[in-house]
Amino acid sequence: MHSHFGMDAQTTSGEWLTEAHGGFGIAIEIKEKLVSTVSEYQKIELFETANLGKMLVLDDIIQFTEYDEFCYQEMMAHVPLFAHPNPENVLVIGGGDGGVLREIAKHDCVKRIDICEIDQKVIDICREYVPSLAKGYDDPRVNLYVGDGNVYIQDKQQFYDVIIVDSTDPIGPGESLFNEDFYRGMRGALRESGVITSQSESIFLHQDVIQGLLRIAKKLFTKYSYAGMYVPTYPAGNIGLCAASLGPEVEVPARRPSVEMQRQLRYYTPEVHEAAFKLPRFGMEVIESVRAED
Ligand code: SAM
């Protein structure tokens, strides 16, 4: 897999997968389709790409490529885990590929890692074909529950220190993870200094989704904010997370990675943690307009 591609433009006659939104899109050159199936919940495709390793596509939306998945997984996991002073019990909702589990397992202070993923087929396919992410399941602290995250969360009381919502988009099975009822469930499931992050789309493309999540977070949590990150194979080359907490600041880390752990990370640093919450002015206005509402 290439880590950089040089400056030469290339035209090829190979097969490309295109994901487009709002009249523009990204195109990924495909070497081989490895899996194509339909589960109870969604269409699932796994590709070997020409340059970016394996790529998972659900309902025609790219979920990850092995080339740049570290950007998303590291930020989704390490922002809330380092914002929390001592996370012990951690829950992932969605995240069936295992990539976020892999990152959580790097924290020695974590004692228990639960995951609630709705689709057993996503888990099975990633375990068979994508060990670079699915190795996250190998950690002995991991407990897997297969079911709807919005059902799972409702009877949990003050148990988790960190909850990470690694979901698909708010259409299809992921829809139930974007409403107030789900966020109330998460608040009830958190211990008193609890911190959450949730996959929150692109500041260029989905300002309405971001504002909707921030309005819910504002109602239910004491701190809330939005951070952006570079991910070249998501639409517009970026995605974001909403972070919310019942106590700790979310925009600055309470702990720092050890020297040894920092060596294992390719995206997250304490400086990147803080910088990700600094948005360009048009983005800050999207956030500030929710903060200014009564
Ligand atoms: N990084 C990805 C992205 O945003 O493109 C997300 C990847 S992860 C594979 C998303 C997972 O969320 C999928 O495996 C999907 O099955 C799962 N999911 C969707 N709705 C869910 C729900 N209601 N409860 C639990 N898991 C859900």
Side-chain angles (χ1 to χ4, degrees), residues 41-42 56 58 61-64 72-73 93-97 116-119 122-123 126 147-150 166-169 172-177 199 201 234 239:
Y41 302 100
Q42 55 211 340
L56 179 70
L58 300 178
I61 307 277
I62 297 169
Q63 302 295 309
F64 67 75
Y72 174 84
Q73 327 282 6
I93 293 191
D97 51 63
C116 177
E117 157 66 53
I118 205 168
D119 198 336
V122 172
I123 300 166
C126 291
D148 185 332
N150 196 355
D166 179 13
S167 67
T168 42
D169 295 334
E175 196 176 344
S176 70
L177 306 180
Q199 190 277 97
E201 310 291 1
Y234 284 145
I239 199 165

Side-chain angles (χ1 to χ4, degrees), residues 4 11-12 18 41 56 78 91 104 116 138 154 166 169 172 176 183 202 217 221 249 281 283:
H4 62 275
T11 47
T12 99
T18 304
Y41 302 100
L56 179 70
H78 300 309
L91 171 65
I104 299 168
C116 177
D138 297 342
Q154 297 302 341
D166 179 13
D169 295 334
S176 70
Y183 277 75
S202 162
F221 292 84
E249 296 295 336
R281 199 167 74 81

Side-chain angles (χ1 to χ4, degrees), residues 213-224:
L213 290 178
L214 290 175
R215 277 190 195 107
I216 295 170
K218 178 177 175 174
K219 235 191 239 185
L220 300 174
F221 292 84
T222 51
K223 313 250 171 28
Y224 62 95

Side-chain angles (χ1 to χ4, degrees), residues 53-123:
K54 308 264 187 326
M55 173 170 72
L56 179 70
V57 179
L58 300 178
D59 285 341
D60 303 315
I61 307 277
I62 297 169
Q63 302 295 309
F64 67 75
T65 75
E66 285 189 289
Y67 162 66
D68 59 3
E69 54 85 13
F70 68 98
C71 312
Y72 174 84
Q73 327 282 6
E74 288 190 19
M75 289 298 277
M76 288 295 289
H78 300 309
V79 166
L81 286 165
F82 280 119
H84 195 288
N86 182 32
E88 292 182 341
N89 293 348
V90 181
L91 171 65
V92 179
I93 293 191
D97 51 63
V100 167
L101 298 177
R102 181 194 67 204
E103 295 306 315
I104 299 168
K106 292 175 180 165
H107 291 253
D108 292 337
C109 56
V110 169
K111 296 190 170 136
R112 183 184 175 101
I113 308 171
D114 292 342
I115 173 167
C116 177
E117 157 66 53
I118 205 168
D119 198 336
Q120 181 72 52
K121 274 200 172 171
V122 172
I123 300 166

Side-chain angles (χ1 to χ4, degrees), residues 74-75 253 257 262 265 267-274:
E74 288 190 19
M75 289 298 277
Q262 185 66 72
L265 304 178
Y267 196 100
Y268 182 91
T269 67
E271 293 73 24
V272 165
H273 183 139
E274 292 190 37

Side-chain angles (χ1 to χ4, degrees), residues 82 256-265 268 270:
F82 280 119
R256 300 173 70 88
S258 65
V259 173
E260 193 203 331
M261 181 175 170
Q262 185 66 72
R263 273 197 212 107
Q264 299 172 49
L265 304 178
Y268 182 91

